[in-house]
Amino acid sequence: MVLALVLVLVNLGFWQLRRLEERRLDNQVGMARNAAEPLELESMVAGAGSEIDTLEFRRAVTRGEWDADFEVYVRSQVREGRSGLWVITPLVLADGRAVMVNRGWIPVELDRRAAGPPVGQVEVAGVVRASRPRSALGPEDRPGIEDTIARVDLSLLDSYVPHHLLEVYLEESSANLSDWPLRLAEPVFDDEGSHLVYAVQWFSFSLVALVGYGAMIRATAHRRYRPASPVE
């Protein structure tokens, strides 16, 4: 049983090391995509086809008009210790489709009208992001009923916004001429997560199991074969 436990723990340690290598590779891919020259968003989406996830972290530019009537807000976004919201607004493109754009962060107490988008044709630059669907244990949104949601889930927003949405959204990086919303920070690619720490923990647990079992065997043998005390 101890040997089986040790094998499981060691395999868990190597699994975390594999996850670490995957994370490092993802960081390298993300960094390379983000450093590439910005392209027209519509052309990028058309070129990606079914491999839409390959556009994540690419820089893109597009043009259109904001539809503030269907603006939504992503709750529970903390910035410098302040509770706030992300402002997500559809940008209607020339062909009638729309792309959801994360225009930035506002404090939760701010009058949302103060963060309204400009009127008329605009050019928007930003970072392409993939849809964030609900996880098995994540909170569930009510489509078409509330304008405050838990994540940028494009399948959910497609049922709320009266435009055909692109399969990606943008985190806007264009210069903001108004005070609100505050633009999001640029993506970083140096976070390796806790995989190395977890790997060390699993290997440590396996070592503790082996040392503990050896100590138990030694103690048992010492009691079993200890010479009897002389009888007076």
Side-chain angles (χ1 to χ4, degrees):
M1 290 177 62
V2 172
L3 182 58
L5 176 62
V6 169
L7 289 175
V8 169
L9 294 173
V10 169
N11 274 285
L12 286 172
F14 282 118
W15 173 64
Q16 286 294 339
L17 291 179
R18 290 193 296 271
R19 292 289 303 277
L20 175 61
E21 289 303 314
E22 292 170 0
R23 185 66 171 268
R24 288 172 174 169
L25 179 60
D26 288 342
N27 285 342
Q28 293 174 2
V29 170
M31 187 182 301
R33 291 176 180 174
N34 195 247
E37 191 72 19
L39 299 175
E40 291 284 341
L41 178 62
E42 294 90 319
S43 299
M44 292 171 63
V45 170
S50 60
E51 299 180 345
I52 198 73
D53 288 345
T54 61
L55 299 182
E56 178 122 53
F57 298 120
R58 288 291 306 270
R59 294 189 177 275
V61 62
T62 190
R63 298 161 191 83
E65 294 188 10
W66 298 112
D67 187 350
D69 291 337
F70 294 92
E71 193 166 78
V72 295
Y73 306 88
V74 179
R75 58 181 176 265
S76 304
Q77 303 303 318
V78 178
R79 183 169 179 149
E80 297 179 354
R82 298 179 68 186
S83 179
L85 305 163
W86 283 347
V87 183
I88 314 295
T89 312
L91 182 73
V92 183
L93 309 176
D95 61 6
R97 295 181 298 170
V99 57
M100 300 303 294
V101 180
N102 186 338
R103 296 196 296 114
W105 179 92
I106 59 172
V108 71
E109 68 273 9
L110 183 75
D111 184 345
R112 296 178 182 181
R113 290 174 295 182
V119 178
Q121 189 80 5
V122 294
E123 180 175 280
V124 175
V127 177
V128 179
R129 301 304 305 270
S131 178
R132 298 293 183 262
R134 175 180 176 268
S135 63
L137 300 178
E140 186 171 0
D141 289 311
R142 302 169 60 191
I145 297 176
E146 298 177 350
D147 65 356
T148 304
I149 56 179
R151 69 195 66 79
V152 187
D153 184 345
L154 295 178
S155 62
L156 170 71
L157 293 173
D158 198 37
S159 65
Y160 176 72
V161 177
H163 310 285
H164 179 66
L165 295 180
L166 298 186
E167 298 171 88
V168 293
Y169 71 98
L170 284 181
E171 288 183 350
E172 187 176 7
S173 59
S174 309
N176 193 1
L177 301 179
S178 58
D179 294 333
W180 304 104
L182 301 180
R183 295 290 185 253
L184 302 185
E186 290 291 313
V188 294
F189 304 98
D190 57 1
D191 182 10
E192 296 184 349
S194 302
H195 301 300
L196 183 59
V197 174
Y198 291 150
V200 172
Q201 286 180 347
W202 289 124
F203 290 138
S204 298
F205 292 156
S206 66
L207 182 61
V208 168
L210 284 175
V211 172
Y213 184 61
M216 184 184 69
I217 292 295
R218 181 177 179 182
T220 301
H222 180 70
R223 289 194 303 268
R224 181 173 299 175
Y225 301 108
R226 183 175 56 188
S229 300
V231 179
E232 295 183 0

